[in-house]
Amino acid sequence: MSTKRWIRCRGVSGFLVLSLCMVASRMLAGQGAAPTKEQADDAAGFKEFSSRLQAYLKVQKTVESSLPALKSTDLPELITAYEQALARKIREARPHAKAGDIFTPAAREAFRHASRAALEGPHSANSRAYMQPGAPTPSMRLAVNGIYPDTEPITALPPELLAAFPPLPAEVAYRVVGRTLIVIDVKSQLVVDIARLILPPAS
Amino acid sequence: MRRRSVLSLVLLAVVTLVLSASRAADFAFPLQANSVRLAVIGDTGTGKQPQIDVARQMVKSRTAFPFEFVITLGDNLYTGSRPSDFDKDFAVPYKSLLDAGVQFYATLGNHDKTNERFYKPFNMNGASYYTFKKGNVRFFALDTNYMDPKQTAWLETQLREAGNGDWKICYFHHPLYSSAMFHGPATDLRKVLEPLFVKYGVDAVFAGHEHVYERVRPQQGIYYFIEGASGSLRAGNLAPSAITAKGFDTDRTFMMIEIAGDDMYFQATSRTGVAVDSGVIHRTVRPASGGAGHE
């Protein structure tokens, strides 16, 4: 195994270990007692999410390594061409990808609980104000293996919400559209998975 | 009696206007050797005439105040990220500045796509948050669309390692303080960033998102500016509050900054070339623990 590849693998494994540690520590934070059933279930849900995501990242890495690296360029055409080529190859590598492959039912429940904890409470109005307006149209069409629309803005995610979710490696990121949570592939802008009705409704 | 009160109010308004105008007229950049000179723009990328007017005014102003680089406060491209959008919203309006060798250091707003970080003229080198140094100033460009624990940890490390000798200027899209009505302040973000700014002695912070100009009274010793009207404008959206030191919401603006030693000279200029705000911030000696003081 080449050094570069070994570092990459270590990076992804490190992300998984870090995710699980963070989730576990969050579950146990401030508690002398064992976690409740809901906390244990959420930890298991996040674990499942992280391991499914790691499987995606393996595919993504393989595909990306088959393309020339994207470097800073004066030519935006090259950026667009790279995005399109990467998206096409990822789609080819996971033609049957569908919503819920990564956001499993247990993971969705865990994200729902984490979102509620971060967005419901005395400061929820502040968080909502940060996310809205300037956010994308809630009715915009989203599909796994589709592209996050070029002309839509993105929702700024409150730090508290991001801290409540498992951390992601640089290749992917969370996006929110209305109450829907998405994981996108950052370089291709491809929608990796979608989980609807995760965020609590704005009051 | 009532007539006299009205007359007094009118007189007071006239005197205030004249005083502020003369203060603006009195203001001059020192243009000291080795000073750091830059311009600040935010919420630019419309590709429409007002943005082009601001860009022209920047070129014009540069003959008297030769700034070397520009920081952008996000929403660099509103219309999308097709190659034609990069041209229409950025490369064409700022062509004269780019041709003159002026460097742009961008941040990402909620209308920007992450891959703008690979566009060389934005000088982001593939990173959505980064730091760079010019003279005695250390700049921290942040991605406030996605302030995850990783970025917060990175910022803390960078601020700590920057030490106490240089000016520390942070810039990003979402303002921590704002008196504009459309968005309001990003208090969630403030909870995370302000303690770091205070702890490590950040001197000044620039943000956009609100399509107005506002200078906020120092908060915990830090100067906050909003410059989100260099392309878009929300006319009449500013509701000056107790934190407002100066505001302007009737036309597009950009800022020019000169940092000479421990002084930061600033001027906000409208697209017609009118100075709408100006002043000097003096940085006092910093304690070794990392806090900053100002006068």
Side-chain angles (χ1 to χ4, degrees), chain B residues 206-259:
Chain B
F206 295 86
H209 202 38
E210 301 281 18
H211 299 170
V212 299
Y213 168 78
E214 184 178 12
R215 172 162 57 91
V216 173
R217 292 187 195 284
Q219 302 293 315
Q220 302 203 47
I222 300 166
Y223 285 83
Y224 290 88
F225 295 85
I226 295 176
E227 179 49 277
S230 307
S232 294
L233 174 71
R234 278 194 196 97
N237 196 247
L238 195 63
S241 67
I243 63 162
T244 309
K246 182 81 182 181
F248 185 75
D249 65 357
T250 54
D251 200 0
R252 276 76 173 176
T253 47
F254 69 100
M255 291 184 73
M256 289 178 285
I257 309 276
E258 178 173 6
I259 296 165

Side-chain angles (χ1 to χ4, degrees), chain B residues 250-279:
Chain B
T250 54
D251 200 0
R252 276 76 173 176
T253 47
F254 69 100
M255 291 184 73
M256 289 178 285
I257 309 276
E258 178 173 6
I259 296 165
D262 285 328
D263 293 317
M264 181 177 111
Y265 299 78
F266 63 90
Q267 179 176 297
T269 304
S270 79
R271 66 170 155 162
T272 54
V274 176
V276 298
D277 188 24
S278 58

